[in-house]
Amino acid sequence: MKMDLATYLENVAEQVDTVLEREFGGLPGELNKASAHLLLAGGKRLRPAVVLLAADMIKKGRAQEIFPAALALELTHTFTLIHDDIMDGDAVRRGVATVHTVWNEPTGILAGDVLYAHAFRLICTAIADDAAKVRSVTTLARACAELCEGQHMDMSFETCDDVDEWEYIDMVSKKTGVLYAAAAAIGATLAGCSAQQAQALYEWGLSSGIAFQIQDDYIDLVADAEQSGKDRASDLRQGKQTLVAILARHKGIDLSGYRRPDLTNEEIDEAIALLEKGGVLEDVRTIAQERVERAKSMLTIFPDCAEKDYLMQITDYFVSRGF
């Protein structure tokens, strides 16, 4: 009997946590401890799950043979979080103190670099054809370069007031989408897929990741702190160039008066009402749903199976989470 998605993801997370603890939990030296600190702090482990689902969708049973590649995607994700925390000056991540606050910024940078290096090593230890490993390493390398580009774009947007919708989509596709894209393509590639199948799964991950980030920005605005896990409307307070802010500007809605750290809940509710009345939030929801449908359409080339259904459900989850 097929388990539900939540149970599947819990099982993957438990397996990933167990292997990560075994592989990285007892390594000697302060740098290794710093590298393992955030890695072992938990998380949903969605990217490893995508690697495994893509592999099993191509050929049932291949997921366990290429399991190290699933770990590689989690290490890559964690390396970006460590570096992001340094750039953003954040003190807490996944309920624990950030790496650079426990140690220091140079150690944090090196800790992320260590995980980055281990990620490529892990792909090479998967049981797969050598040519498939080369393609997978190439895919991950390209994703890492684009991740850096996306982060730099996001930082540059802080000093711009004319970012348009397509610049935003390009930024989030690189900052969030490419790692889901790489996860799906790498899992399938190592399992022996065709070039067409790898591209379809890459496009699935890219559009799913874009939908994920749009929803993340939406949740930041409309959810309370307990739901979002951060200060309510932090993007609004900081004047970040989210899709909400961009579409509001295009509709002539001035949010500059809400760009301050001491916003009250009443003022946030006032801004939300203004955006809802102006059709901004409806447009944001529509754009996110369009990305969901585009992502799911990429999977039509695959025969129906449990793994395909799980991937579709993950895409839906990306725009339904938090509510």
Side-chain angles (χ1 to χ4, degrees):
M1 182 179 178
K2 178 188 167 187
M3 68 183 78
D4 61 27
L5 177 64
T7 302
Y8 176 85
L9 293 176
E10 287 170 7
N11 289 346
V12 169
E14 183 178 346
Q15 186 180 10
V16 169
D17 289 347
T18 298
V19 179
L20 288 177
E21 180 65 44
R22 185 181 70 226
E23 295 292 323
F24 297 96
L27 295 177
E30 284 302 304
L31 182 57
N32 282 324
K33 290 177 183 177
S35 298
H37 176 71
L38 185 59
L39 185 65
L40 302 182
K44 294 184 176 67
R45 314 303 193 190
L46 289 171
R47 292 157 191 82
V50 167
V51 174
L52 301 175
L53 285 169
D56 270 345
M57 188 166 69
I58 298 302
K59 185 177 181 182
K60 196 73 174 178
R62 288 290 283 137
Q64 288 309 304
E65 294 177 331
I66 60 95
F67 189 81
L71 301 181
L73 269 294
E74 188 63 25
L75 264 65
T76 303
H77 176 52
T78 306
F79 124 72
T80 67
L81 297 181
I82 293 173
H83 285 189
D84 283 357
D85 288 340
I86 294 170
M87 287 180 271
D88 295 341
D90 290 336
V92 177
R93 169 80 71 172
R94 290 178 175 171
V96 300
T98 50
V99 175
H100 71 279
T101 57
V102 176
W103 284 270
N104 51 53
E105 288 191 8
T107 301
I109 293 169
L110 291 171
D113 292 345
V114 167
L115 296 181
Y116 174 81
H118 277 304
F120 289 93
R121 175 185 63 81
L122 283 165
I123 287 181
C124 294
T125 65
I127 300 173
D129 179 76
D130 285 347
K133 292 181 185 180
V134 170
R135 289 194 296 273
S136 297
V137 166
T138 301
T139 298
L140 185 59
R142 182 178 71 173
C144 288
E146 292 190 351
L147 279 163
C148 294
E149 291 175 19
Q151 174 66 4
H152 187 266
M153 290 174 69
D154 193 21
M155 293 165 57
S156 70
F157 287 176
E158 294 175 8
T159 57
C160 298
D161 58 8
D162 60 350
V163 177
D164 64 31
E165 176 185 336
W166 299 111
E167 287 175 314
Y168 168 87
I169 295 296
D170 186 34
M171 182 272 288
V172 298
S173 73
K174 290 175 177 175
K175 187 172 179 179
T176 304
V178 293
L179 206 52
Y180 283 109
I186 287 170
T189 297
L190 293 173
C193 74
S194 68
Q196 180 193 20
Q197 290 172 325
Q199 187 61 35
L201 280 162
Y202 188 91
E203 295 296 333
W204 168 86
L206 202 63
S207 288
S208 294
I210 292 170
F212 179 98
Q213 190 59 55
I214 293 173
Q215 180 70 0
D216 208 51
D217 294 345
Y218 181 83
I219 289 171
D220 177 88
L221 177 66
V222 303
D224 60 34
E226 186 175 339
Q227 286 177 305
S228 68
K230 51 186 177 181
D231 291 339
R232 189 181 182 208
S234 62
D235 291 342
L236 179 66
R237 297 170 192 267
Q238 297 168 30
K240 288 195 70 172
Q241 293 293 315
T242 65
L243 187 59
V244 173
I246 292 165
L247 295 184
R249 188 177 69 250
H250 289 173
K251 288 177 177 286
I253 298 172
D254 184 8
L255 297 176
S256 60
Y258 300 99
R259 187 175 183 173
R260 60 180 205 275
D262 60 344
L263 277 184
T264 65
N265 283 327
E266 290 74 20
E267 288 173 316
I268 294 170
D269 290 339
E270 177 186 288
I272 291 171
L274 188 65
L275 292 164
E276 196 71 78
K277 183 179 179 181
V280 172
L281 299 188
E282 181 180 357
D283 287 350
V284 169
R285 291 189 292 264
T286 298
I287 291 170
Q289 192 58 43
E290 287 171 352
R291 289 290 169 172
V292 165
E293 296 309 317
R294 180 174 176 177
K296 291 163 76 171
S297 73
M298 294 296 107
L299 301 181
T300 57
I301 69 168
F302 299 98
D304 290 340
C305 60
E307 291 76 21
K308 176 180 174 179
D309 186 48
Y310 284 142
L311 289 174
M312 293 232 184
Q313 288 184 56
I314 286 173
T315 305
D316 285 331
Y317 165 72
F318 282 173
V319 293
S320 64
R321 64 201 169 88
F323 301 101

